[in-house]
Amino acid sequence: MRIFLTLTLLVISLYGERVNIAVAANVSYAIDELKSEFNRLYPNIDVAVTVGSSGKLTAQINHNAPYQLFMSANMDYPNSLYKSGIAITKPQVYAKGGLALLSHKNLYSDELEEILKSKDIKRIAIANPKTAPYGKAAVEALKNLGVYRVLKEKFVYGESISQTVTYAVNATDIGFIAKSSLYTPKMNRFKNGINWIEVNSSLYTPIDQGVVIL
């Protein structure tokens, strides 16, 4: 919250009393609470939020989309914007992401490899690894487990991690999602060890999430 507050106030000093924020899809589960707390302190400031995959938001920013603050799901995209001069502040880490495996059914095991080897797993939701950092992390984890080639034909790609959550809940057998998405009221029916398990963080590169002023 401290980084969000500080950078948002700096944006206001630069651009006025309306702030346009580009937000990675995995942050959408927390952004309403952040906005609410911010507006409790600064009720006259209008905070407009656009949610999408980090890669697509970066493409929009590179094509002059009118955002003033970018909250990415990794550090790569903010760093690229900083190096190109589009971001005017050096990227700061505002959160560290975690990967989870979710099913709308009951998982019969709490071991990731056992679940993935099951013949009952026909479709796997995964965020597009080309544009979504959590999709990239899921692919890395599967490669480190040595099962990527066997499973890739089962992938159903979401354009963002929020779309991937929707697929995991409604359309596929399992899905690799941001752990943060599980801590919302609409997701509290899914229980740890029953419907979801955390993916061991040693299987993928740490997901440091970066924020920059544009």
Side-chain angles (χ1 to χ4, degrees):
M1 178 62 188
R2 186 182 306 153
I3 292 175
F4 177 81
L5 178 62
T6 301
L7 292 183
T8 304
L9 287 173
L10 182 54
V11 168
I12 291 166
S13 71
L14 293 170
Y15 296 104
E17 293 192 348
R18 177 182 171 88
V19 181
N20 297 307
I21 302 178
V23 173
N26 77 293
V27 189
S28 66
Y29 306 101
I31 195 64
D32 285 344
E33 290 183 45
L34 286 170
K35 281 181 58 179
S36 177
E37 180 65 14
F38 181 81
N39 284 137
R40 186 181 66 81
L41 299 172
Y42 303 94
N44 297 321
I45 306 299
D46 181 21
V47 180
V49 175
T50 299
V51 176
S53 69
S54 297
K56 287 199 168 185
L57 291 171
T58 300
Q60 292 174 16
I61 291 165
N62 279 316
H63 286 87
N64 301 314
Y67 306 127
Q68 286 91 50
L69 192 70
F70 176 37
M71 302 178 74
S72 174
N74 69 1
M75 292 294 285
D76 292 342
Y77 291 118
N79 276 323
S80 70
L81 293 171
Y82 182 66
K83 288 177 182 177
S84 66
I86 296 174
I88 62 174
T89 57
K90 191 172 182 180
Q92 295 186 52
V93 176
Y94 68 90
K96 294 181 180 291
L99 196 62
L101 183 77
L102 171 69
S103 175
H104 56 88
K105 307 171 185 177
N106 288 355
L107 299 171
Y108 63 88
S109 173
D110 59 1
E111 294 294 329
L112 179 60
E113 289 182 83
E114 286 188 27
I115 296 169
L116 295 174
K117 290 177 181 178
S118 171
K119 294 180 180 179
D120 294 330
I121 303 301
K122 307 296 183 184
R123 291 183 296 177
I124 302 171
I126 183 173
N128 184 348
K130 294 180 180 179
T131 58
Y134 282 86
K136 183 178 179 181
V139 167
E140 185 180 1
L142 292 172
K143 286 182 176 179
N144 285 330
L145 286 172
V147 297
Y148 173 75
R149 289 188 178 183
V150 176
L151 296 177
K152 65 179 181 178
E153 298 301 323
K154 299 180 180 182
F155 291 168
V156 177
Y157 293 102
E159 285 305 308
S160 67
I161 198 64
S162 57
Q163 187 178 64
T164 306
V165 171
T166 299
Y167 288 165
V169 171
N170 297 296
T172 63
D173 300 299
I174 57 175
F176 287 93
I177 67 168
K179 186 180 174 184
S180 61
S181 65
L182 294 161
Y183 295 97
T184 60
K186 68 178 182 179
M187 297 291 284
N188 62 13
R189 69 182 187 275
F190 299 112
K191 305 303 180 184
N192 187 6
I194 298 175
N195 305 110
W196 67 270
I197 59 171
E198 188 168 0
V199 177
N200 192 318
S201 60
S202 66
L203 293 172
Y204 56 91
T205 303
I207 306 175
D208 290 340
Q209 303 192 185
V211 57
V212 286
I213 295 177
L214 305 168

